[in-house]
């Protein structure tokens, strides 16, 4: 197999699985009659985003202005920067807009809104701004029922900025399990964001965009009435956390880390590999889930999971593979030195970020290299 | 202050603290009469390694062949690759040696030793090889008393390779606390490695190099009789894990992440920043220690710790700062939007790896940019 020739560790994208994930989301969004704006913080890769755009995605979401700049340079113009912007970053955002980028920014306070509006007014331009709404209490945003919403809108609509709409992200969906809980969270996310939009409209603000989303809620929502667009990122690869939440099968996980066995501690049942936490990331997102996969689920080189074997420990460049709940005294026979394995990650966004690029496996004998970037 | 002008998040090196850490280790090694070979996996930065070399370091230790290549290109020739090498990587190692790099590699099995020796013999060269010794059971290596030691040496000394010595790393020192425990572990590391060297010499192998080390044991050893060199990496920056082990004060930590406050959830006592886990890494190394610093200890822009305030939560590009054990209702007054803070990391190796470069702060008004690299 061609993966026998790739230097390890390497981040492998199963191209067909990724495409199936993109199509699954596309079909779901079409059925729910909403636009889809993928979050490219997961891949930070132009080629991945182009596959998403080819399947109907409208615009992208980014988590840093570096992403905005890199994707704008790569041909993406309709970009929402979905992290509250500090005043010091406004000149960078302005610079992108001046180049032609249709950049939207967000705020969740009067203070930040005033800084945005003042910068815009002082520079003879107007930022497009969404107000971040907090629909689940997990992070940033204004509560849907807060009078602050209208106060912020009033600041924005005085000039130097234009209120583009409302945006929320029910990130606490990552702590749930099962269809009922996810459906309820999706409805909470939808209804909270729509409520915020309604109160803004009642106060005389147009609020054309109502943007919601996270991978678990996007794949669980039964209705998205009143929502105009959905954002989600990790669905493009999926991972063990998404599997543990119940929104994907293990077989749908499109990202894995290719590794080589470099040694053993036979009496402990350990195989040592060259994919430690520098390759897997330090993410232990399944530690609190029903099944703890350690630093990842072990698969053979074809990508088929080997039941019970996980990366139970990790140093910087060493992974320790063992059998869950048992000492496999035959570990050296099962995984001899030189064996190549693939590890499914806990959290695709974190694992992918450790690599300068992906090896894209299109078929057993065909690979392509796709670069990704990092930093701010 | 000049850090007010730096884009956030950014990895800041306090140059004077770093130099003091380098000198502290140099003085200790001189007192113990051993050579010192810093592990550059922590910084992956030529400029940092040059400061170490300027203070007497002899050669470097690396964790990947990419590091070996980058540092060799940057003028470092005496390099030990301290991760067991897979057969597939031997041509890469050979290529560096052919260019003039004095590269040492390691092995801990007859099988891997045979692959090394065979490659060398088939290519008319001889790898310099150290046998990895397991002195604390935490990872790889041959037990000091194992008959495998001599078997591996015999394979290596038949041609295609030369036995350079023995090498160990008592990584379990990271789980200890306090001087007595660390002194005992340092002695265990020393005596185990020296024992391995003696048994090899008794069997007729020269074994000139006896290499030990980890930051906690290097800074705790009372005697290094029989040891020829020490390796350590994280001491150059230190971090909260090293502080929790008891080998540095918080004031000696030379690496921090500069961040900006972007919002609040006042009723929860949260300040939201632009340094999430992408900046801090997912490392939660202090989670099991007496004090859990979350994703890091909050400091003011000057680098002075603000007691009780930690990064208690993190999403990809959002950090959540709160007061330990209390809800600070005045958080927005304490840390207004736009406030710049510095966060001390749990694990410097992991946090530094998230950044393409460092901002080196030499004085309040003087900064320099030092690049670092990543990947394999």
């Amino acid at each position: 197999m061609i993966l026998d020739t790739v230097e390890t560790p390497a981040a492998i994208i199963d191209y067909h699985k990724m495409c199936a994930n993109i199509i699954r989301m596309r079909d779901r969004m079409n059925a729910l009659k909403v636009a889809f704006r993928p979050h490219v913080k997961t891949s930070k890769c132009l080629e991945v985003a182009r596959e998403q755009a080819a399947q109907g995605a409208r615009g992208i979401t980014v988590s840093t202005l570096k992403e905005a700049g890199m994707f704008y340079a790569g041909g993406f113009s309709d970009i929402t920067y979905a992290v509250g912007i500090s005043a010091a970053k406004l000149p960078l955002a302005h610079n992108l807009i001046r180049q032609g980028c249709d950049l939207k920014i967000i705020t969740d306070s009067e203070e930040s809104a005033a800084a945005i509006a003042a910068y815009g007014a002082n520079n003879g331009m107007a930022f497009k701004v969404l107000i971040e709404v907090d629909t689940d209490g997990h992070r940033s945003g204004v509560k849907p029922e807060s009078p602050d919403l209208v106060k912020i809108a009033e600041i924005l609509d005085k000039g130097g900025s234009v209120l583009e709409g409302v945006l929320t992200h029910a990130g606490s969906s990552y702590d749930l399990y099962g269809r009922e809980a996810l459906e309820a969270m999706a409805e909470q996310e939808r209804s909270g964001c729509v409520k915020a939009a309604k109160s803004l409209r009642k106060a005389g603000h147009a609020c054309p965009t109502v943007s919601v989303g996270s991978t678990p809620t996007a794949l669980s929502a039964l209705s998205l009435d009143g929502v105009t667009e959905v954002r989600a990122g990790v669905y493009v690869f999926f991972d063990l956390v998404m599997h543990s939440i119940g929104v994907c099968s293990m077989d749908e996980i499109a990202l894995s880390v290719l590794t080589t066995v470099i040694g053993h501690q036979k009496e402990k049942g350990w195989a040592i590999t060259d994919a430690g936490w520098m390759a897997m990331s330090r993410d232990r997102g399944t530690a609190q889930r029903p099944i703890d996969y350690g630093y990842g689920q072990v698969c053979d080189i074809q990508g088929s999971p080997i039941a019970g074997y996980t990366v139970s420990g990790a140093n910087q460049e060493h992974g320790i593979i063992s059998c869950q709940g048992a000492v496999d005294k035959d570990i050296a026979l099962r995984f001899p030195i030189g064996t190549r394995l693939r590890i499914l990650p806990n959290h695709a966004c974190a694992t992918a970020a450790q690599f300068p690029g992906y090896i894209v496996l299109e078929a057993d004998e065909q690979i392509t290299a796709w670069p990704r970037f990092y930093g701010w």
Side-chain angles (χ1 to χ4, degrees), chain A:
Chain A
M1 193 184 178
I2 199 160
L3 288 185
D4 279 314
T5 66
V6 171
E7 276 178 46
T8 61
I12 310 296
I13 294 176
D14 183 312
Y15 180 75
H16 299 288
K17 289 184 181 181
M18 182 190 80
C19 290
N21 296 341
I22 291 170
I23 286 169
R24 179 179 162 197
M25 185 63 83
R26 177 200 69 185
D27 290 350
R28 198 155 174 91
M29 295 300 105
N30 287 346
L32 289 163
K33 298 188 173 55
V34 286
F36 183 63
R37 180 185 292 278
H39 207 317
V40 297
K41 75 183 176 75
T42 303
S43 72
K44 300 204 187 192
C45 171
L46 281 169
E47 289 79 359
V48 171
R50 284 175 187 145
E51 297 281 347
Q52 294 168 306
Q55 296 300 335
R58 294 191 217 159
I60 58 171
T61 315
V62 300
S63 68
T64 65
L65 287 176
K66 169 102 169 243
E67 287 166 48
M70 296 293 278
F71 279 93
Y72 179 63
F76 291 84
S77 180
D78 176 1
I79 300 178
T80 299
Y81 170 43
V83 176
I85 194 163
S86 64
K89 292 192 175 90
L90 290 171
L92 293 170
H94 182 199
N95 192 38
L96 280 169
I97 292 165
R98 219 167 6 207
Q99 290 172 45
C101 181
D102 180 18
L103 182 71
K104 274 75 69 178
I105 61 177
I106 72 169
T107 182
D108 71 347
S109 68
E110 293 175 68
E111 195 178 340
S112 153
I116 293 166
Y119 181 98
N122 291 338
N123 288 274
M125 53 86 70
F127 287 107
K128 293 184 182 174
V129 187
L130 296 123
I131 301 177
E132 187 175 12
V133 180
D134 178 15
T135 51
D136 69 343
H138 90 290
R139 191 169 71 197
S140 309
V142 183
K143 293 274 181 305
E145 57 280 1
S146 169
D148 290 352
L149 266 177
V150 171
K151 289 184 197 164
I152 294 170
E154 282 169 3
I155 293 168
L156 293 174
D157 274 350
K158 274 184 192 152
S161 52
V162 176
L163 177 67
E164 180 80 10
V166 286
L167 172 147
T168 195
H169 165 61
S172 63
S173 60
Y174 278 50
D175 301 323
L176 303 176
Y177 176 74
R179 203 166 65 179
E180 264 183 52
L182 291 169
E183 285 174 2
M185 182 55 73
E187 176 53 20
Q188 180 179 326
E189 184 184 47
R190 182 203 71 80
S191 62
C193 205
V194 169
K195 181 180 183 178
K198 282 183 179 163
S199 75
L200 287 167
R201 287 174 190 145
K202 200 175 158 191
H205 303 279
C207 195
T209 299
V210 180
S211 178
V212 307
S214 74
T215 287
T217 52
L219 293 172
S220 305
L222 297 177
S223 154
L224 287 173
D225 282 358
V227 168
T228 65
E229 70 170 26
V230 169
R231 307 173 331 278
V234 77
Y235 81 96
V236 75
F237 293 149
F238 284 128
D239 53 30
L240 293 169
V241 167
M242 289 298 122
H243 174 56
S244 75
I245 291 170
V247 295
C248 73
S249 68
M250 204 178 276
D251 196 46
E252 289 178 292
I253 300 175
L255 182 75
S256 60
V257 173
L258 183 70
T259 185
T260 303
V261 174
I262 61 171
H264 303 94
Q265 294 288 10
K266 293 174 194 171
E267 77 288 357
K268 291 177 181 155
W270 289 358
I272 316 277
T273 75
D274 65 357
W277 60 251
M278 189 61 85
M280 299 308 305
S281 91
R282 271 291 198 190
D283 197 289
R284 288 280 289 108
T286 58
Q288 312 303 328
R289 311 293 309 187
I291 299 174
D292 181 351
Y293 293 97
Y295 287 90
Q297 166 67 45
V298 177
C299 301
D300 64 21
I301 193 172
Q302 312 288 343
S304 299
I306 302 170
Y309 287 84
T310 62
V311 181
S312 53
N315 294 151
Q316 187 158 335
E317 299 289 348
H318 295 81
I320 297 176
I321 286 175
S322 64
C323 185
Q324 287 175 308
V327 174
D328 179 1
K329 296 275 187 187
D330 294 329
I331 194 92
L333 298 171
R334 186 179 299 274
F335 303 128
I337 287 177
T339 303
R340 286 177 170 234
L341 299 167
R342 283 161 71 183
I343 315 294
L344 302 179
N346 284 320
H347 189 171
C349 305
T351 301
Q354 304 298 104
F355 291 86
Y358 304 101
I359 300 293
V360 184
L361 183 67
E362 291 187 48
D364 273 9
E365 298 303 333
Q366 192 183 340
I367 56 173
T368 318
W370 285 356
R372 59 164 282 150
F373 60 90
Y374 77 140
W376 291 269

